[in-house]
Amino acid sequence: VQVVESGGGSVQAGVSLRLTCTVSEYTYSMGWFRQAPGKEREGVASIEPDGTTWYADSVKGRFTISKDNTRNTLYLQMNSLKPEDTAIYYCAAAHVGAIATPQLFLQLAYWGQGTQVTVSS
């Protein structure tokens, strides 16, 4: 399974970006993660096949995760970006639920190479 992210960039605080993740084949569940310099990787948002979503508290109300099942494509709409959103954003996909079984998801997930998002004040 190949996972490819795109859509990152360098922007000013307050603007929007949309990240896209394309997976080479169908996977049950997908999610976005990020890692800022000097920090551990953290979950940002996940989505299950029935549309159930999960968001980190830090992005609730600003980010929206969505999925196009016909194209095996995942999106992350990021609005009102803040400097603290600066990180490498990774897409992950697995045949187990990211929300229902998060630890198993992390063990089994296929990962993309990441896309840099830099937000300046």
PDB file of all heavy atoms in Angstrom, residues 61-91:
ATOM      1  N   GLY A  61     -12.942  22.438  15.501  1.00  0.00           N
ATOM      2  CA  GLY A  61     -13.555  23.671  15.044  1.00  0.00           C
ATOM      3  C   GLY A  61     -12.772  24.382  13.962  1.00  0.00           C
ATOM      4  O   GLY A  61     -13.282  25.322  13.338  1.00  0.00           O
ATOM      5  N   ARG A  62     -11.532  23.969  13.716  1.00  0.00           N
ATOM      6  CA  ARG A  62     -10.708  24.592  12.674  1.00  0.00           C
ATOM      7  C   ARG A  62     -10.383  23.633  11.544  1.00  0.00           C
ATOM      8  O   ARG A  62     -10.296  24.044  10.391  1.00  0.00           O
ATOM      9  CB  ARG A  62      -9.399  25.113  13.281  1.00  0.00           C
ATOM     10  CG  ARG A  62      -9.586  26.153  14.365  1.00  0.00           C
ATOM     11  CD  ARG A  62      -8.252  26.768  14.782  1.00  0.00           C
ATOM     12  NE  ARG A  62      -7.332  25.781  15.348  1.00  0.00           N
ATOM     13  CZ  ARG A  62      -6.129  25.509  14.839  1.00  0.00           C
ATOM     14  NH1 ARG A  62      -5.698  26.154  13.774  1.00  0.00           N
ATOM     15  NH2 ARG A  62      -5.345  24.606  15.419  1.00  0.00           N
ATOM     16  N   PHE A  63     -10.188  22.377  11.870  1.00  0.00           N
ATOM     17  CA  PHE A  63      -9.815  21.380  10.857  1.00  0.00           C
ATOM     18  C   PHE A  63     -10.998  20.458  10.582  1.00  0.00           C
ATOM     19  O   PHE A  63     -11.791  20.152  11.475  1.00  0.00           O
ATOM     20  CB  PHE A  63      -8.648  20.519  11.346  1.00  0.00           C
ATOM     21  CG  PHE A  63      -7.328  21.226  11.442  1.00  0.00           C
ATOM     22  CD1 PHE A  63      -7.226  22.601  11.336  1.00  0.00           C
ATOM     23  CD2 PHE A  63      -6.158  20.507  11.647  1.00  0.00           C
ATOM     24  CE1 PHE A  63      -6.000  23.253  11.422  1.00  0.00           C
ATOM     25  CE2 PHE A  63      -4.939  21.123  11.747  1.00  0.00           C
ATOM     26  CZ  PHE A  63      -4.857  22.507  11.636  1.00  0.00           C
ATOM     27  N   THR A  64     -11.094  20.014   9.340  1.00  0.00           N
ATOM     28  CA  THR A  64     -12.132  19.061   8.961  1.00  0.00           C
ATOM     29  C   THR A  64     -11.512  17.937   8.139  1.00  0.00           C
ATOM     30  O   THR A  64     -10.851  18.209   7.133  1.00  0.00           O
ATOM     31  CB  THR A  64     -13.234  19.742   8.135  1.00  0.00           C
ATOM     32  OG1 THR A  64     -13.801  20.815   8.886  1.00  0.00           O
ATOM     33  CG2 THR A  64     -14.331  18.743   7.795  1.00  0.00           C
ATOM     34  N   ILE A  65     -11.752  16.712   8.580  1.00  0.00           N
ATOM     35  CA  ILE A  65     -11.271  15.549   7.844  1.00  0.00           C
ATOM     36  C   ILE A  65     -12.414  15.001   7.000  1.00  0.00           C
ATOM     37  O   ILE A  65     -13.573  14.990   7.429  1.00  0.00           O
ATOM     38  CB  ILE A  65     -10.726  14.466   8.803  1.00  0.00           C
ATOM     39  CG1 ILE A  65     -10.027  13.357   8.024  1.00  0.00           C
ATOM     40  CG2 ILE A  65     -11.821  13.916   9.701  1.00  0.00           C
ATOM     41  CD1 ILE A  65      -9.277  12.372   8.920  1.00  0.00           C
ATOM     42  N   SER A  66     -12.084  14.577   5.802  1.00  0.00           N
ATOM     43  CA  SER A  66     -13.091  13.976   4.929  1.00  0.00           C
ATOM     44  C   SER A  66     -12.416  12.949   4.031  1.00  0.00           C
ATOM     45  O   SER A  66     -11.196  12.967   3.877  1.00  0.00           O
ATOM     46  CB  SER A  66     -13.809  15.036   4.093  1.00  0.00           C
ATOM     47  OG  SER A  66     -12.892  15.726   3.274  1.00  0.00           O
ATOM     48  N   LYS A  67     -13.236  12.092   3.447  1.00  0.00           N
ATOM     49  CA  LYS A  67     -12.685  11.002   2.648  1.00  0.00           C
ATOM     50  C   LYS A  67     -13.541  10.771   1.418  1.00  0.00           C
ATOM     51  O   LYS A  67     -14.770  10.812   1.496  1.00  0.00           O
ATOM     52  CB  LYS A  67     -12.636   9.726   3.494  1.00  0.00           C
ATOM     53  CG  LYS A  67     -11.961   8.544   2.837  1.00  0.00           C
ATOM     54  CD  LYS A  67     -11.963   7.345   3.788  1.00  0.00           C
ATOM     55  CE  LYS A  67     -11.319   6.136   3.143  1.00  0.00           C
ATOM     56  NZ  LYS A  67     -11.432   4.916   3.975  1.00  0.00           N
ATOM     57  N   ASP A  68     -12.887  10.574   0.308  1.00  0.00           N
ATOM     58  CA  ASP A  68     -13.556  10.187  -0.930  1.00  0.00           C
ATOM     59  C   ASP A  68     -13.271   8.703  -1.145  1.00  0.00           C
ATOM     60  O   ASP A  68     -12.182   8.336  -1.597  1.00  0.00           O
ATOM     61  CB  ASP A  68     -13.038  11.022  -2.093  1.00  0.00           C
ATOM     62  CG  ASP A  68     -13.759  10.716  -3.390  1.00  0.00           C
ATOM     63  OD1 ASP A  68     -14.402   9.655  -3.495  1.00  0.00           O
ATOM     64  OD2 ASP A  68     -13.668  11.543  -4.307  1.00  0.00           O
ATOM     65  N   ASN A  69     -14.224   7.872  -0.796  1.00  0.00           N
ATOM     66  CA  ASN A  69     -13.990   6.430  -0.876  1.00  0.00           C
ATOM     67  C   ASN A  69     -13.812   5.944  -2.311  1.00  0.00           C
ATOM     68  O   ASN A  69     -13.129   4.957  -2.563  1.00  0.00           O
ATOM     69  CB  ASN A  69     -15.141   5.676  -0.221  1.00  0.00           C
ATOM     70  CG  ASN A  69     -15.123   5.838   1.282  1.00  0.00           C
ATOM     71  OD1 ASN A  69     -14.079   5.794   1.912  1.00  0.00           O
ATOM     72  ND2 ASN A  69     -16.294   6.054   1.859  1.00  0.00           N
ATOM     73  N   THR A  70     -14.406   6.656  -3.253  1.00  0.00           N
ATOM     74  CA  THR A  70     -14.292   6.216  -4.647  1.00  0.00           C
ATOM     75  C   THR A  70     -12.878   6.404  -5.176  1.00  0.00           C
ATOM     76  O   THR A  70     -12.489   5.756  -6.148  1.00  0.00           O
ATOM     77  CB  THR A  70     -15.279   6.976  -5.535  1.00  0.00           C
ATOM     78  OG1 THR A  70     -14.946   8.367  -5.518  1.00  0.00           O
ATOM     79  CG2 THR A  70     -16.708   6.793  -5.032  1.00  0.00           C
ATOM     80  N   ARG A  71     -12.133   7.295  -4.546  1.00  0.00           N
ATOM     81  CA  ARG A  71     -10.785   7.588  -5.013  1.00  0.00           C
ATOM     82  C   ARG A  71      -9.719   7.226  -3.990  1.00  0.00           C
ATOM     83  O   ARG A  71      -8.540   7.536  -4.198  1.00  0.00           O
ATOM     84  CB  ARG A  71     -10.667   9.075  -5.357  1.00  0.00           C
ATOM     85  CG  ARG A  71     -11.622   9.534  -6.441  1.00  0.00           C
ATOM     86  CD  ARG A  71     -11.414  10.991  -6.786  1.00  0.00           C
ATOM     87  NE  ARG A  71     -12.279  11.435  -7.868  1.00  0.00           N
ATOM     88  CZ  ARG A  71     -12.258  12.648  -8.393  1.00  0.00           C
ATOM     89  NH1 ARG A  71     -11.417  13.538  -7.933  1.00  0.00           N
ATOM     90  NH2 ARG A  71     -13.089  12.960  -9.364  1.00  0.00           N
ATOM     91  N   ASN A  72     -10.125   6.574  -2.888  1.00  0.00           N
ATOM     92  CA  ASN A  72      -9.168   6.243  -1.819  1.00  0.00           C
ATOM     93  C   ASN A  72      -8.354   7.467  -1.430  1.00  0.00           C
ATOM     94  O   ASN A  72      -7.122   7.424  -1.308  1.00  0.00           O
ATOM     95  CB  ASN A  72      -8.238   5.108  -2.261  1.00  0.00           C
ATOM     96  CG  ASN A  72      -8.978   3.815  -2.512  1.00  0.00           C
ATOM     97  OD1 ASN A  72      -9.986   3.526  -1.871  1.00  0.00           O
ATOM     98  ND2 ASN A  72      -8.492   3.030  -3.448  1.00  0.00           N
ATOM     99  N   THR A  73      -9.039   8.573  -1.280  1.00  0.00           N
ATOM    100  CA  THR A  73      -8.369   9.841  -1.007  1.00  0.00           C
ATOM    101  C   THR A  73      -8.904  10.445   0.282  1.00  0.00           C
ATOM    102  O   THR A  73     -10.112  10.458   0.526  1.00  0.00           O
ATOM    103  CB  THR A  73      -8.571  10.819  -2.169  1.00  0.00           C
ATOM    104  OG1 THR A  73      -8.031  10.235  -3.363  1.00  0.00           O
ATOM    105  CG2 THR A  73      -7.861  12.136  -1.898  1.00  0.00           C
ATOM    106  N   LEU A  74      -7.980  10.948   1.074  1.00  0.00           N
ATOM    107  CA  LEU A  74      -8.298  11.576   2.354  1.00  0.00           C
ATOM    108  C   LEU A  74      -7.920  13.045   2.281  1.00  0.00           C
ATOM    109  O   LEU A  74      -6.904  13.392   1.663  1.00  0.00           O
ATOM    110  CB  LEU A  74      -7.515  10.887   3.473  1.00  0.00           C
ATOM    111  CG  LEU A  74      -7.773  11.352   4.892  1.00  0.00           C
ATOM    112  CD1 LEU A  74      -9.151  10.887   5.356  1.00  0.00           C
ATOM    113  CD2 LEU A  74      -6.687  10.820   5.821  1.00  0.00           C
ATOM    114  N   TYR A  75      -8.728  13.873   2.912  1.00  0.00           N
ATOM    115  CA  TYR A  75      -8.458  15.307   2.922  1.00  0.00           C
ATOM    116  C   TYR A  75      -8.401  15.819   4.354  1.00  0.00           C
ATOM    117  O   TYR A  75      -9.014  15.251   5.263  1.00  0.00           O
ATOM    118  CB  TYR A  75      -9.558  16.064   2.180  1.00  0.00           C
ATOM    119  CG  TYR A  75      -9.770  15.622   0.758  1.00  0.00           C
ATOM    120  CD1 TYR A  75     -10.794  14.735   0.421  1.00  0.00           C
ATOM    121  CD2 TYR A  75      -8.940  16.077  -0.264  1.00  0.00           C
ATOM    122  CE1 TYR A  75     -10.989  14.313  -0.874  1.00  0.00           C
ATOM    123  CE2 TYR A  75      -9.134  15.660  -1.574  1.00  0.00           C
ATOM    124  CZ  TYR A  75     -10.157  14.773  -1.869  1.00  0.00           C
ATOM    125  OH  TYR A  75     -10.340  14.365  -3.167  1.00  0.00           O
ATOM    126  N   LEU A  76      -7.677  16.914   4.522  1.00  0.00           N
ATOM    127  CA  LEU A  76      -7.695  17.635   5.787  1.00  0.00           C
ATOM    128  C   LEU A  76      -7.785  19.120   5.446  1.00  0.00           C
ATOM    129  O   LEU A  76      -6.816  19.698   4.954  1.00  0.00           O
ATOM    130  CB  LEU A  76      -6.452  17.357   6.622  1.00  0.00           C
ATOM    131  CG  LEU A  76      -6.466  18.006   8.001  1.00  0.00           C
ATOM    132  CD1 LEU A  76      -7.548  17.362   8.888  1.00  0.00           C
ATOM    133  CD2 LEU A  76      -5.096  17.877   8.682  1.00  0.00           C
ATOM    134  N   GLN A  77      -8.951  19.680   5.655  1.00  0.00           N
ATOM    135  CA  GLN A  77      -9.144  21.102   5.470  1.00  0.00           C
ATOM    136  C   GLN A  77      -8.740  21.814   6.749  1.00  0.00           C
ATOM    137  O   GLN A  77      -9.307  21.547   7.809  1.00  0.00           O
ATOM    138  CB  GLN A  77     -10.607  21.408   5.129  1.00  0.00           C
ATOM    139  CG  GLN A  77     -10.916  22.874   4.953  1.00  0.00           C
ATOM    140  CD  GLN A  77     -10.225  23.468   3.735  1.00  0.00           C
ATOM    141  OE1 GLN A  77     -10.176  22.854   2.679  1.00  0.00           O
ATOM    142  NE2 GLN A  77      -9.694  24.676   3.890  1.00  0.00           N
ATOM    143  N   MET A  78      -7.759  22.671   6.637  1.00  0.00           N
ATOM    144  CA  MET A  78      -7.225  23.365   7.803  1.00  0.00           C
ATOM    145  C   MET A  78      -7.517  24.851   7.669  1.00  0.00           C
ATOM    146  O   MET A  78      -6.976  25.515   6.776  1.00  0.00           O
ATOM    147  CB  MET A  78      -5.722  23.113   7.923  1.00  0.00           C
ATOM    148  CG  MET A  78      -5.341  21.645   7.935  1.00  0.00           C
ATOM    149  SD  MET A  78      -3.583  21.362   8.239  1.00  0.00           S
ATOM    150  CE  MET A  78      -2.870  22.090   6.766  1.00  0.00           C
ATOM    151  N   ASN A  79      -8.364  25.356   8.528  1.00  0.00           N
ATOM    152  CA  ASN A  79      -8.718  26.773   8.523  1.00  0.00           C
ATOM    153  C   ASN A  79      -8.138  27.468   9.746  1.00  0.00           C
ATOM    154  O   ASN A  79      -7.784  26.825  10.736  1.00  0.00           O
ATOM    155  CB  ASN A  79     -10.238  26.933   8.517  1.00  0.00           C
ATOM    156  CG  ASN A  79     -10.887  26.340   7.281  1.00  0.00           C
ATOM    157  OD1 ASN A  79     -10.287  26.315   6.200  1.00  0.00           O
ATOM    158  ND2 ASN A  79     -12.115  25.868   7.420  1.00  0.00           N
ATOM    159  N   SER A  80      -8.051  28.765   9.664  1.00  0.00           N
ATOM    160  CA  SER A  80      -7.560  29.575  10.794  1.00  0.00           C
ATOM    161  C   SER A  80      -6.262  29.008  11.345  1.00  0.00           C
ATOM    162  O   SER A  80      -6.119  28.793  12.557  1.00  0.00           O
ATOM    163  CB  SER A  80      -8.623  29.632  11.891  1.00  0.00           C
ATOM    164  OG  SER A  80      -9.829  30.166  11.395  1.00  0.00           O
ATOM    165  N   LEU A  81      -5.325  28.791  10.468  1.00  0.00           N
ATOM    166  CA  LEU A  81      -4.064  28.192  10.885  1.00  0.00           C
ATOM    167  C   LEU A  81      -3.316  29.075  11.867  1.00  0.00           C
ATOM    168  O   LEU A  81      -3.358  30.318  11.785  1.00  0.00           O
ATOM    169  CB  LEU A  81      -3.199  27.903   9.665  1.00  0.00           C
ATOM    170  CG  LEU A  81      -3.607  26.640   8.887  1.00  0.00           C
ATOM    171  CD1 LEU A  81      -3.012  26.659   7.486  1.00  0.00           C
ATOM    172  CD2 LEU A  81      -3.184  25.397   9.646  1.00  0.00           C
ATOM    173  N   LYS A  82      -2.636  28.416  12.781  1.00  0.00           N
ATOM    174  CA  LYS A  82      -1.865  29.094  13.824  1.00  0.00           C
ATOM    175  C   LYS A  82      -0.409  28.660  13.727  1.00  0.00           C
ATOM    176  O   LYS A  82      -0.116  27.570  13.225  1.00  0.00           O
ATOM    177  CB  LYS A  82      -2.400  28.715  15.202  1.00  0.00           C
ATOM    178  CG  LYS A  82      -3.870  29.008  15.415  1.00  0.00           C
ATOM    179  CD  LYS A  82      -4.326  28.508  16.780  1.00  0.00           C
ATOM    180  CE  LYS A  82      -5.797  28.783  17.023  1.00  0.00           C
ATOM    181  NZ  LYS A  82      -6.248  28.305  18.362  1.00  0.00           N
ATOM    182  N   PRO A  83       0.507  29.480  14.224  1.00  0.00           N
ATOM    183  CA  PRO A  83       1.917  29.077  14.207  1.00  0.00           C
ATOM    184  C   PRO A  83       2.147  27.723  14.877  1.00  0.00           C
ATOM    185  O   PRO A  83       3.033  26.961  14.445  1.00  0.00           O
ATOM    186  CB  PRO A  83       2.605  30.205  14.964  1.00  0.00           C
ATOM    187  CG  PRO A  83       1.748  31.394  14.698  1.00  0.00           C
ATOM    188  CD  PRO A  83       0.344  30.867  14.695  1.00  0.00           C
ATOM    189  N   GLU A  84       1.368  27.414  15.891  1.00  0.00           N
ATOM    190  CA  GLU A  84       1.554  26.128  16.579  1.00  0.00           C
ATOM    191  C   GLU A  84       1.084  24.935  15.754  1.00  0.00           C
ATOM    192  O   GLU A  84       1.271  23.782  16.168  1.00  0.00           O
ATOM    193  CB  GLU A  84       0.846  26.124  17.938  1.00  0.00           C
ATOM    194  CG  GLU A  84      -0.599  26.568  17.908  1.00  0.00           C
ATOM    195  CD  GLU A  84      -0.762  28.046  18.263  1.00  0.00           C
ATOM    196  OE1 GLU A  84       0.032  28.885  17.770  1.00  0.00           O
ATOM    197  OE2 GLU A  84      -1.706  28.360  19.029  1.00  0.00           O
ATOM    198  N   ASP A  85       0.488  25.186  14.608  1.00  0.00           N
ATOM    199  CA  ASP A  85       0.137  24.101  13.689  1.00  0.00           C
ATOM    200  C   ASP A  85       1.320  23.692  12.813  1.00  0.00           C
ATOM    201  O   ASP A  85       1.226  22.727  12.049  1.00  0.00           O
ATOM    202  CB  ASP A  85      -1.026  24.511  12.785  1.00  0.00           C
ATOM    203  CG  ASP A  85      -2.317  24.726  13.543  1.00  0.00           C
ATOM    204  OD1 ASP A  85      -2.622  23.927  14.448  1.00  0.00           O
ATOM    205  OD2 ASP A  85      -3.017  25.713  13.220  1.00  0.00           O
ATOM    206  N   THR A  86       2.412  24.432  12.915  1.00  0.00           N
ATOM    207  CA  THR A  86       3.595  24.120  12.126  1.00  0.00           C
ATOM    208  C   THR A  86       4.114  22.734  12.481  1.00  0.00           C
ATOM    209  O   THR A  86       4.370  22.431  13.647  1.00  0.00           O
ATOM    210  CB  THR A  86       4.694  25.167  12.373  1.00  0.00           C
ATOM    211  OG1 THR A  86       4.241  26.431  11.886  1.00  0.00           O
ATOM    212  CG2 THR A  86       5.980  24.771  11.665  1.00  0.00           C
ATOM    213  N   ALA A  87       4.247  21.898  11.469  1.00  0.00           N
ATOM    214  CA  ALA A  87       4.674  20.514  11.680  1.00  0.00           C
ATOM    215  C   ALA A  87       4.768  19.810  10.336  1.00  0.00           C
ATOM    216  O   ALA A  87       4.324  20.348   9.310  1.00  0.00           O
ATOM    217  CB  ALA A  87       3.683  19.769  12.566  1.00  0.00           C
ATOM    218  N   ILE A  88       5.326  18.622  10.368  1.00  0.00           N
ATOM    219  CA  ILE A  88       5.210  17.725   9.227  1.00  0.00           C
ATOM    220  C   ILE A  88       3.930  16.916   9.441  1.00  0.00           C
ATOM    221  O   ILE A  88       3.742  16.314  10.503  1.00  0.00           O
ATOM    222  CB  ILE A  88       6.419  16.790   9.103  1.00  0.00           C
ATOM    223  CG1 ILE A  88       7.694  17.602   8.913  1.00  0.00           C
ATOM    224  CG2 ILE A  88       6.225  15.838   7.920  1.00  0.00           C
ATOM    225  CD1 ILE A  88       8.956  16.768   8.917  1.00  0.00           C
ATOM    226  N   TYR A  89       3.089  16.926   8.446  1.00  0.00           N
ATOM    227  CA  TYR A  89       1.813  16.232   8.540  1.00  0.00           C
ATOM    228  C   TYR A  89       1.906  14.905   7.783  1.00  0.00           C
ATOM    229  O   TYR A  89       2.323  14.882   6.622  1.00  0.00           O
ATOM    230  CB  TYR A  89       0.685  17.087   7.987  1.00  0.00           C
ATOM    231  CG  TYR A  89       0.272  18.180   8.942  1.00  0.00           C
ATOM    232  CD1 TYR A  89       1.110  19.264   9.186  1.00  0.00           C
ATOM    233  CD2 TYR A  89      -0.935  18.124   9.622  1.00  0.00           C
ATOM    234  CE1 TYR A  89       0.747  20.256  10.082  1.00  0.00           C
ATOM    235  CE2 TYR A  89      -1.315  19.108  10.516  1.00  0.00           C
ATOM    236  CZ  TYR A  89      -0.463  20.173  10.737  1.00  0.00           C
ATOM    237  OH  TYR A  89      -0.833  21.156  11.630  1.00  0.00           O
ATOM    238  N   TYR A  90       1.506  13.851   8.462  1.00  0.00           N
ATOM    239  CA  TYR A  90       1.570  12.515   7.895  1.00  0.00           C
ATOM    240  C   TYR A  90       0.163  11.931   7.759  1.00  0.00           C
ATOM    241  O   TYR A  90      -0.678  12.106   8.640  1.00  0.00           O
ATOM    242  CB  TYR A  90       2.393  11.584   8.781  1.00  0.00           C
ATOM    243  CG  TYR A  90       3.833  11.975   8.934  1.00  0.00           C
ATOM    244  CD1 TYR A  90       4.243  12.779   9.988  1.00  0.00           C
ATOM    245  CD2 TYR A  90       4.791  11.534   8.021  1.00  0.00           C
ATOM    246  CE1 TYR A  90       5.575  13.143  10.144  1.00  0.00           C
ATOM    247  CE2 TYR A  90       6.124  11.882   8.166  1.00  0.00           C
ATOM    248  CZ  TYR A  90       6.506  12.696   9.232  1.00  0.00           C
ATOM    249  OH  TYR A  90       7.820  13.049   9.367  1.00  0.00           O
ATOM    250  N   CYS A  91      -0.032  11.218   6.694  1.00  0.00           N
ATOM    251  CA  CYS A  91      -1.260  10.467   6.495  1.00  0.00           C
ATOM    252  C   CYS A  91      -0.981   8.995   6.810  1.00  0.00           C
ATOM    253  O   CYS A  91       0.089   8.482   6.479  1.00  0.00           O
ATOM    254  CB  CYS A  91      -1.718  10.612   5.046  1.00  0.00           C
ATOM    255  SG  CYS A  91      -3.159   9.621   4.593  1.00  0.00           S
TER     256      CYS A  91
END
